Amino acid sequence: MTDALWVLVPALLAVAALVAVRRRLPVLFWWLVGYPVIALRVLATYRATMDACGLTVPASAMRRATARMIGRQAAPVPPRHSLPLPTGSGLVMRLRMAAGQAPEDFSASADRLRHAWGAHAVHVRPTKPGRLELRLVGWDVLADVRPPRRWLGTEPLSLPLALREDGHWHVRDFRTVPHELILGATQSGKSVYLRNLLCGLARQPVALVGIDCKWGVELAPFAPRLSALADTSDRANDLLDVLVEEMEARFRLIGMTGGAGPDAVLTSDVWGLPEKARPVPVVVVVDEVAELFLAASKDDEKRRDAMVTKLIRLAQLGRAAGIYLEVCGQRFGAELGKGATMLRAQLTGRVCHRVNDETSANMALGDIAPEAALAATSIPAARPGVAVVGDSSGGWSRVRSPHLTLDEAAAVCRDTSGLVPELPRLDAFRPVVAEPAGPPSLPAAVPTTRPVIE
């Protein structure tokens, strides 16, 4: 009995330790247990699984002839594969497809492969003609998302903002996708995504401009790092006028620099200018766009149409001038006024969190991929921060941004307030930052009244 206890107790302790590691440190559990188990399962059942999923092809004529000579039947041939290599969240195999196969065949069978091999998810990505990458994810990587340990972006205006469900980071590259639309209902995680965006930009030499018509309650905590802030529709209209003037001045600078001499380098955007003459990039964050475009009278409608026109001009021409738009809101549609649909077409980057209705998801992702809009409507309310990211190429993925509190984001903006660039046109809209309160002072001594002695 004693010998059995000496064996049973360590075994129970080891099992308990593995359960704790799986919950607390899923990456460590994957390297210790998950990867060896799934890799052996994939290698042992690869041929049978591919055959059951219909991903094999008939054997060649030479193999069939050889099999007949030895009295056997030639088995179907699966795609050739590399060894399953471990990654930070799963494993990856590179496949060479047989003649007649297409990546769509493997994408359609991804769910069956996931169940056959006991993985959390299977993702298929074509790499070159005839070859693809099969990526298995070992656990739900979106359950607990933490900021990346190292900076992933090597270029300016490139930020890792959210973790994708395949284990890669969604990198927001303004030079590739200059303008973006962010939609999400209340408590959906839209504000957390925006905080990560602003904190990432605050550490770079970028001018941040905020338009928040809810009296600045959303963007006011980031005021120390903002070059301009408009908290009402009237000030937003004036600020958009100034931004259009700034854009026109930058285009004149590009034209004059290109014709400065015979050795001048011709360019059509600010990134082709010499570094000393290059103006600082400007990122305009429009929070709750529906509040910006509310109209209660004819005058409000005229102002709204004027602001939509200015935003369209900035979206169409701003990329070359180094001016980028981030438009946020709970919904975005034609009810915002004339030109709203045209503005949405210019916002090629799309991020859709949990929304209140299917129409909002279709507004964000319906023109990119219908299945992406369907995925956005299925985001549970218990998982704030989960979103569907898409772009004009038709690709989309589920992502989740790391949690960032408002106090932490405000502290980053205070610490980086010295990086606010000089833009004279925006000085009139520079937010007033209140000085931190000092230690409470002692109350002044109140003179006491004494009776007059006669």
Side-chain angles (χ1 to χ4, degrees):
M1 186 66 180
T2 306
D3 295 338
L5 288 177
W6 279 107
V7 175
L8 183 60
V9 171
L12 292 177
L13 291 177
V15 171
L18 287 177
V19 171
V21 169
R22 184 175 185 179
R23 293 182 179 180
R24 301 282 184 176
L25 302 170
V27 178
L28 180 60
F29 180 84
W30 168 254
W31 283 94
L32 293 177
V33 179
Y35 168 69
V37 171
I38 293 184
L40 291 175
R41 186 183 302 161
V42 168
L43 294 176
T45 64
Y46 177 78
R47 180 183 291 271
T49 301
M50 288 293 171
D51 190 16
C53 294
L55 298 176
T56 56
V57 295
S60 62
M62 182 175 294
R63 286 192 176 186
R64 292 197 301 269
T66 305
R68 283 195 300 267
M69 292 175 60
I70 61 177
R72 295 184 180 179
Q73 185 178 1
V77 180
R80 295 181 181 179
H81 67 90
S82 66
L83 291 176
L85 301 177
T87 63
S89 58
L91 60 85
V92 61
M93 287 195 310
R94 291 171 177 83
L95 274 62
R96 182 177 181 180
M97 293 180 289
Q101 291 183 328
E104 290 76 13
D105 302 332
F106 293 84
S107 299
S109 301
D111 199 48
R112 285 179 285 180
L113 295 174
R114 174 177 74 89
H115 287 289
W117 289 331
H120 177 76
V122 174
H123 299 275
V124 179
R125 184 178 68 90
T127 55
K128 60 177 66 176
R131 299 178 184 272
L132 56 84
E133 183 181 270
L134 202 66
R135 182 176 293 270
L136 278 69
V137 181
W139 72 96
D140 186 4
V141 295
L142 301 185
D144 184 18
V145 180
R146 300 180 182 180
R149 294 183 178 180
R150 58 187 179 88
W151 188 252
L152 300 179
T154 56
E155 298 291 332
L157 294 174
S158 180
L159 309 169
L161 292 182
L163 184 65
R164 296 192 326 207
E165 59 183 347
D166 61 356
H168 290 290
W169 279 90
H170 164 63
V171 179
R172 175 74 172 96
D173 189 354
F174 284 84
R175 297 182 63 178
T176 303
V177 182
H179 312 301
E180 188 174 61
L181 174 63
I182 306 172
L183 292 184
T186 304
Q187 300 295 323
S188 64
K190 173 170 57 69
S191 298
V192 175
Y193 181 89
L194 188 60
R195 291 171 198 166
N196 283 277
L197 175 70
L198 290 172
C199 288
L201 291 173
R203 300 183 177 96
Q204 298 189 15
V206 178
L208 297 177
V209 175
I211 297 178
D212 181 10
C213 290
K214 292 190 299 184
W215 295 277
V217 295
E218 292 288 343
L219 299 182
F222 316 111
R225 184 58 181 84
L226 297 181
S227 298
L229 176 62
D231 54 3
T232 62
S233 298
D234 292 331
R235 285 185 61 82
N237 191 24
D238 297 337
L239 178 57
L240 289 174
D241 285 331
V242 173
L243 290 173
V244 172
E245 293 176 3
E246 177 70 21
M247 181 181 66
E248 294 172 352
R250 294 186 176 199
F251 275 113
R252 288 193 293 268
L253 174 64
I254 294 172
M256 290 187 298
T257 306
D263 298 331
V265 178
L266 296 179
T267 181
S268 59
D269 57 34
V270 294
W271 297 103
L273 297 176
E275 187 173 355
K276 294 182 179 180
R278 186 185 306 161
V280 64
V282 179
V283 178
V284 183
V285 179
V286 182
D287 188 76
E288 202 54 64
V289 65
E291 292 289 335
L292 179 65
F293 294 150
L294 284 178
S297 62
K298 292 293 184 181
D299 294 337
D300 292 342
E301 291 180 0
K302 293 180 180 178
R303 182 189 59 198
R304 177 191 62 189
D305 294 341
M307 286 191 292
V308 171
T309 303
K310 296 166 190 174
L311 284 173
I312 291 174
R313 291 193 64 190
L314 289 173
Q316 289 179 335
L317 305 174
R319 184 203 64 81
I323 299 177
Y324 309 98
L325 294 180
E326 288 286 328
V327 179
C328 311
Q330 295 189 20
R331 61 175 292 109
F332 191 92
E335 71 276 3
L336 298 182
K338 298 178 181 179
T341 305
M342 185 183 299
L343 174 61
R344 186 192 64 164
Q346 300 295 327
L347 306 175
T348 52
R350 308 289 175 82
V351 179
C352 185
H353 295 77
R354 177 179 55 83
V355 289
N356 293 324
D357 56 338
E358 187 178 354
T359 304
S360 299
N362 289 328
M363 282 290 181
L365 302 167
D367 58 338
I368 292 178
E371 60 273 15
L374 182 62
T377 57
S378 62
I379 297 175
R383 276 206 166 184
V386 176
V388 176
V389 171
D391 53 42
S392 57
S393 64
W396 63 277
S397 177
R398 291 183 184 87
V399 301
R400 192 177 192 184
S401 52
H403 183 66
L404 182 65
T405 65
L406 184 60
D407 292 337
E408 293 171 345
V412 171
C413 290
R414 286 195 302 268
D415 296 339
T416 58
S417 59
L419 297 178
V420 177
E422 292 291 336
L423 286 177
R425 286 187 177 86
L426 300 179
D427 288 344
F429 299 91
R430 181 75 181 272
V432 178
V433 180
E435 294 293 335
S441 58
L442 296 176
V446 180
T448 58
T449 304
R450 295 184 179 183
V452 178
I453 300 176
E454 295 182 357

